[in-house]
Amino acid sequence: MSDAGVVVVQGGRVVNAEYSEQADVLIEGGVVRAVGPALPVPAGARLVSAHGRLVLPGGVDPHTHMELPFMGTRAVDDFYQGTRAALAGGTTMIVDFVLGARGISLLDAFRTWRGWADPNVCCDYSLHVGVTWWSEQVSEEMGVLVRSEGVNSFKAFMAYKEAFMLRDPELFSVFRRCKELGAIAQVHAENGDLIAEGEKEMLERGITGPEGHELCRPEVVEAEATNRAITIAGRARCPLYVVHVMSKAAAGVIARARRAGQVVFGEPIAAGLGTDGTHYWHRDWRHAAAYVMGPPLRPDPTTPGYLMDLLANDDLSTTGTDNCTFNACQKAMGKDDFTKIPNGVNGVEDRMSVIWERGVHSGKMDENRFVAVTSTNAAKIFNLHPRKGRIAPGCDADLVVWNPNATRTISARTHHQAVDFNIFEGMECHGVADVTISRGRVVWEGGLLAPDLRGTGRYVPRAAFPDYAYQRIRAQDQANQPRAVEREPYQGPVLAPDA
Ligand code: URP
Ligand code: ZN
Ligand code: ZN
Ligand code: ZN
């Protein structure tokens, strides 16, 4: 394993979102210094062979929940083990979510998350902030977070009634504030009222197992909320990022809005692209419960392929994981009542391989689109580009030597995550990270992680008004300004209102 000295990655095919080229990559001090054929090797440089391999920007996972306190327990993959696992799978940056309870200061919650992450992360990270309640204080704190703490994205929830859920006028206020600040509004789009009614109905019918989780949240519950969020963001003229798009119906709503010119981005996740909701009907309770997450995986087995088609064709834009993991004993908090099963699944380690297998190996997308949806697009939307999501002089040296021909079989027995179950168990994937380089340091090689990674990642602040979203918003604001009609004053009689 090597320190962040001089490294030359030799003989690979360097893949960016726009094009690929046969080139070496010279890295110094954690930054890419040169990309080109047959680069001279400085004395003392560490050589990494990439002959016959691809050299990709390290994955950016824009949606994780490491050690999240949630539903009466805490996610088992913490910032240390979760980010180690990310590196083993070729992901070199995560964006996690600060999710404070209703009534808690956003700034205090942000500092709490920094306190958990900073000493422990093994790769670079950034933080979105959840707006779980609304007040003048929240509005002011959003401003401080944008101006002073490098936050440019805020997540609002339309589900988790009694916990995080906001009502439509609050959503409108959050989106308008995002617009003012130059932030990206993010939304968890499910109709929380209908879910609450559905939960009651299922329990009354005696359906207490994990299948009840999906039955009370059918696709329409996700699609309705997605449409409502897009409508509200449209009225606020704010860019919108829909996290964890899980259904054909919701994806269709996003695709239509994009075709109508709205600035909206959809994020399917590894779980939704790699497996499906038929598992909720599994006879083994523990197996079925392992897949419980919100919105649920869909029992229609054609859903993953459909979401991948839309991702390949730019109807959907990025891929996350929503990595939020709970062990069997934690899931068992809901053994007699599915509403108490902590929601969340794994993905941070396996996302790159699952998407390569189902997206590239299947022939749906090429290597450049793979890079776009696993790093570049998220980096552009959240204003990390070109520092992240690109291999070019001046970019952070976060990259992966990727073997598209090797295969690996995913298993909880061999994964690096803390969780005791893997929702992709047994899946054979083409596409394996041979070497991962984080900030110029070889951190994963020959199936081994560097031993001293704790705390080596850094918090990456993000500036407001990312061009990728706000250029079009600005132009649309200019082009679509409402204007009063100039007319002569009305001179006729005016009826006096009845007393
Ligand atoms: O089931 C999920 N998605 N758990 C994490 C919290 C969230 O809504 O993203
Ligand atoms: Zn969510
Ligand atoms: Zn199953
Ligand atoms: Zn999430």
Side-chain angles (χ1 to χ4, degrees):
M1 304 292 172
S2 147
D3 287 336
V6 180
V7 177
V8 181
V9 182
Q10 280 187 320
R13 179 175 166 82
V14 175
V15 183
N16 277 305
E18 308 83 10
Y19 67 101
S20 308
E21 61 184 318
Q22 200 64 35
D24 298 343
V25 182
L26 171 68
I27 295 166
E28 195 181 352
V31 172
V32 173
R33 301 291 176 194
V35 179
L39 293 178
V41 177
R46 159 84 193 266
L47 295 182
V48 173
S49 170
H51 296 275
R53 306 283 189 268
L54 306 177
V55 182
L56 314 175
V60 175
D61 183 344
H63 189 156
T64 67
H65 301 281
M66 302 306 173
E67 59 192 271
L68 177 69
F70 192 48
M71 295 183 73
T73 183
R74 190 168 191 143
V76 285
D77 276 296
D78 58 16
F79 278 100
Y80 174 63
Q81 207 156 344
T83 53
R84 267 181 104 240
L87 291 171
T91 287
T92 52
M93 174 156 190
I94 62 165
V95 192
D96 207 88
F97 285 83
V98 174
L99 290 182
R102 213 181 260 279
I104 298 287
S105 149
L106 268 53
L107 279 168
D108 286 351
F110 175 82
R111 288 182 194 121
T112 301
W113 257 256
R114 290 283 312 258
W116 293 337
D118 285 342
N120 292 308
V121 280
C122 304
C123 67
D124 283 0
Y125 83 105
S126 198
L127 291 170
H128 312 290
V129 174
V131 180
T132 56
W133 58 297
W134 183 247
S135 69
E136 200 43 51
Q137 179 193 335
V138 169
S139 175
E140 274 166 32
E141 291 191 338
M142 286 173 71
V144 177
L145 286 164
V146 171
R147 286 189 290 271
S148 311
E149 304 292 352
V151 173
N152 71 8
S153 43
F154 294 93
K155 179 178 177 184
F157 290 84
M158 300 168 84
Y160 304 122
K161 198 173 173 181
E162 321 296 351
F164 297 153
M165 184 170 118
L166 299 184
R167 298 277 167 197
D168 290 2
E170 296 170 326
L171 281 177
F172 184 67
S173 301
V174 174
F175 292 176
R176 254 206 331 214
R177 185 69 174 135
C178 283
K179 166 74 179 290
E180 240 167 51
L181 295 168
I184 304 291
Q186 298 170 287
V187 69
H188 175 131
E190 286 187 292
N191 184 318
D193 285 318
L194 289 182
I195 290 172
E197 295 305 318
E199 285 177 342
K200 271 190 254 163
E201 185 193 334
M202 291 309 145
L203 292 174
E204 273 162 23
R205 285 174 182 272
I207 299 173
T208 59
E211 67 281 11
H213 177 77
E214 204 285 333
L215 289 169
C216 66
R217 298 165 167 78
E219 293 206 11
V220 286
V221 168
E222 186 187 354
E224 181 278 328
T226 305
N227 190 53
R228 188 155 37 98
I230 288 173
T231 306
I232 296 171
R235 298 306 298 150
R237 299 189 299 281
C238 172
L240 182 68
Y241 182 94
V242 184
V243 300
H244 47 43
V245 178
M246 301 299 284
S247 65
K248 289 180 170 182
V253 169
I254 293 166
R256 274 192 297 283
R258 284 173 67 83
R259 285 162 196 207
Q262 191 158 340
V263 182
V264 53
F265 306 101
E267 171 207 79
I269 61 171
L273 294 163
T275 185
D276 63 49
T278 55
H279 295 279
Y280 297 131
W281 278 263
H282 199 281
R283 289 274 175 186
D284 173 23
W285 185 90
R286 192 274 173 276
H287 181 104
Y291 294 80
V292 167
M293 65 159 299
L297 293 156
R298 299 303 170 184
D300 172 354
T302 64
T303 304
Y306 183 85
L307 294 175
M308 189 64 85
D309 288 334
L310 268 61
L311 182 65
N313 295 314
D314 206 33
D315 287 318
L316 299 172
S317 304
T318 63
T319 56
T321 58
D322 204 0
N323 195 93
C324 186
T325 49
F326 301 100
N327 280 337
C329 61
Q330 296 171 295
K331 291 275 182 181
M333 293 163 76
K335 71 183 176 51
D336 302 316
D337 175 351
F338 67 85
T339 68
K340 299 191 168 66
I341 301 171
N343 285 204
V345 298
N346 65 286
V348 76
E349 181 168 355
D350 299 319
R351 179 183 65 124
M352 299 284 275
S353 289
V354 167
I355 293 161
W356 187 273
E357 175 66 23
R358 296 288 169 91
V360 184
H361 192 70
S362 71
K364 293 189 182 212
M365 60 174 79
D366 62 18
E367 62 197 19
N368 307 101
R369 180 68 189 164
F370 176 79
V371 166
V373 302
T374 54
S375 65
T376 314
N377 287 356
K380 286 180 176 173
I381 293 166
F382 297 114
N383 229 358
L384 295 159
H385 192 264
R387 181 172 171 187
K388 304 290 187 189
R390 184 168 178 79
I391 301 176
C395 301
D396 283 355
D398 284 357
L399 40 96
V400 191
V401 178
W402 189 254
N403 187 342
N405 301 314
T407 60
R408 71 182 179 97
T409 302
I410 298 175
S411 176
R413 285 187 296 281
T414 49
H415 71 201
H416 297 80
Q417 300 202 217
V419 67
D420 60 5
F421 191 95
N422 193 309
I423 59 166
F424 307 113
E425 185 74 34
M427 185 190 290
E428 190 183 60
C429 289
H430 292 80
V432 174
D434 275 359
V435 180
T436 306
I437 297 176
S438 171
R439 285 276 182 111
R441 185 165 183 238
V442 176
V443 290
W444 164 256
E445 189 184 22
L448 291 175
L449 283 155
D452 50 353
L453 292 173
R454 193 187 287 275
T456 53
R458 285 187 229 156
Y459 176 73
V460 184
R462 296 171 292 127
F465 293 106
D467 279 344
Y468 195 63
Y470 271 92
Q471 253 186 17
R472 276 189 297 150
I473 291 279
R474 278 196 209 98
Q476 289 176 5
D477 281 352
Q478 273 294 320
N480 304 330
Q481 278 181 36
R483 286 180 222 286
V485 175
E486 283 184 28
R487 43 169 88 84
E488 293 300 314
Y490 173 76
Q491 304 288 10
V494 179
L495 190 71
D498 292 341

